[in-house]
Amino acid sequence: MNIIKNCIVDYITSSRTVETITLNNTDRLFYIYNYEGNHFRVFTEIIDLIKFFQFGIEPKQSFLNENDLDDFIENYHWS
């Protein structure tokens, strides 16, 4: 089980954020775009986050509630 080690929140607007998190068992990062608390998009590479904002390319993982997002992060295995 993964545990969040560190989290940095950058506010784009008051209701849109990008959270950068690290996990206790790895040096890899997750970038989570939180759209108004209703849609969470998960990026494992910064370039994919940039492509999303620049070109609208959606990530492989997105969630409509925070519980599903938390379950995904807790159980994610880097390949």
Side-chain angles (χ1 to χ4, degrees):
M1 178 168 141
N2 297 317
I3 297 172
I4 294 174
K5 178 179 168 183
N6 191 18
C7 181
I8 299 169
V9 179
D10 294 301
Y11 288 85
I12 298 168
T13 68
S14 60
S15 60
R16 297 177 188 174
T17 62
V18 174
E19 298 175 34
T20 305
I21 63 171
T22 59
L23 304 177
N24 66 335
N25 58 345
T26 182
D27 290 333
R28 303 282 306 261
L29 300 173
F30 280 106
Y31 306 94
I32 301 168
Y33 176 57
N34 177 349
Y35 180 81
E36 299 182 353
N38 297 317
H39 195 172
F40 303 89
R41 294 172 172 94
V42 179
F43 303 88
T44 56
E45 302 292 334
I46 190 70
I47 192 69
D48 294 332
L49 177 63
I50 293 167
K51 288 179 183 177
F52 170 74
F53 284 117
Q54 191 168 19
F55 304 113
I57 299 172
E58 291 286 334
K60 293 178 184 176
Q61 299 294 329
S62 67
F63 303 93
L64 297 177
N65 66 65
E66 204 164 353
N67 289 334
D68 290 343
L69 171 64
D70 290 344
D71 287 342
F72 173 78
I73 291 170
E74 288 174 4
N75 298 299
Y76 187 84
H77 297 285
W78 298 99
S79 46

